[in-house]
């Protein structure tokens, strides 16, 4: 995110802030940047409180994985394009998993309670592994990636199972 790269605590930023404060106090010049920031903070606060009062919440609807930098970058571009057109898109989890290769988890949030994934379970995809689970017959949906399926017995693997409980 480019906005995170801005240095707001450097000497130039402090000097600009002091100059704006001086102009505001001595000359009565309104500080537009401070007004914009205050308006933005108030709007965000109101939106948060409104969501709490209305009882709305968001949860996971869908999960996806990408493996490797190329695939992740390509997937990121696709999701950015979908977001630009206000279409459903997946968001990237900040931290990556994977010891030798970058594995990124993506999720799609939803406010529709009928689409919430209410149960998630992690498992290993190898039949002979102690953490193997096949939850398909319990109406779970499998979320994984081909590169996360082991090709040898000692290889790591990852499967995420998710479902919406019928009584939730």
């Amino acid at each position: 995110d480019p906005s995170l790269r801005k240095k707001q605590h450097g000497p130039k930023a402090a000097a600009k802030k002091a100059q704006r404060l001086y102009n505001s106090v001595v000359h009565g010049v309104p500080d537009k940047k401070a007004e914009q920031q205050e308006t933005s903070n108030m709007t965000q606060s109101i939106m948060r409180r409104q969501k709490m009062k209305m009882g709305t919440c968001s949860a996971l609807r869908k999960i996806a994985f990408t493996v490797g930098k190329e695939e992740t970058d390509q997937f990121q571009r696709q999701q950015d394009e979908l977001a630009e057109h206000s279409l459903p898109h997946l968001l990237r989890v900040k931290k990556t998993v994977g010891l030798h290769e970058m594995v990124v988890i993506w999720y799609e949030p939803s406010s529709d309670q009928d689409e919430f994934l209410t149960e998630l379970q992690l498992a290993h995809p190898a039949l002979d592994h102690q953490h193997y689970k096949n939850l398909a017959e319990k109406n779970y949906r499998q979320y994984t990636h081909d590169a996360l399926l082991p090709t040898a017995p000692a290889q790591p693997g990852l499967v995420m199972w998710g479902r919406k409980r019928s009584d939730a």
Side-chain angles (χ1 to χ4, degrees):
D1 184 12
S3 66
L4 297 176
R5 294 189 199 125
K6 293 180 183 176
K7 291 184 180 178
Q8 298 178 354
H9 304 291
K12 287 183 181 180
K16 283 183 180 180
K17 188 174 182 179
Q19 183 64 44
R20 285 196 312 270
L21 181 62
Y22 174 80
N23 288 340
S24 175
V25 172
V26 175
H27 301 293
V29 177
D31 187 356
K32 296 232 185 269
K33 189 171 186 178
E35 287 178 20
Q36 288 173 346
Q37 184 62 42
E38 184 62 26
T39 303
S40 174
N41 290 345
M42 287 186 337
T43 303
Q44 289 175 2
S45 176
I46 290 168
M47 295 295 278
R48 271 194 309 274
R49 291 169 197 256
Q50 217 171 16
K51 282 183 181 178
M52 286 190 287
K53 284 182 182 177
M54 291 173 42
T56 62
C57 62
S58 62
L60 299 177
R61 172 192 302 182
K62 184 179 178 183
I63 301 168
F65 293 92
T66 55
V67 178
K69 183 160 176 46
E70 275 185 45
E71 181 183 355
T72 300
D73 291 344
Q74 179 184 4
F75 195 77
Q76 179 72 58
R77 285 190 296 274
Q78 290 172 350
Q79 299 312 308
D80 290 344
E81 191 173 320
L82 289 170
E84 278 181 31
H85 294 32
S86 299
L87 295 170
H89 59 283
L90 284 87
L91 303 173
R92 179 180 174 158
V93 173
K94 288 181 183 179
K95 299 277 185 176
T96 62
V97 295
L99 183 60
H100 302 293
E101 193 160 14
M102 180 172 74
V103 177
V104 178
I105 303 171
W106 300 80
Y107 66 96
E108 183 181 351
S110 173
S111 295
D112 184 356
Q113 292 184 358
D114 292 333
E115 298 176 340
F116 287 0
L117 291 176
T118 55
E119 293 184 26
L120 290 173
Q121 292 194 32
L122 297 176
H124 195 280
L127 290 168
D128 56 346
H129 195 275
Q130 67 179 1
H131 296 295
Y132 170 78
K133 294 178 187 175
N134 183 0
L135 300 173
E137 59 265 345
K138 294 183 179 179
N139 295 325
Y140 279 81
R141 179 166 181 236
Q142 182 180 6
Y143 299 95
T144 191
H145 187 283
D146 289 342
L148 299 176
L149 302 174
T151 55
Q155 278 189 322
L158 176 65
V159 173
M160 192 177 292
W161 294 91
R163 77 171 178 174
K164 172 170 178 15
R165 280 193 0 221
S166 56
D167 61 341

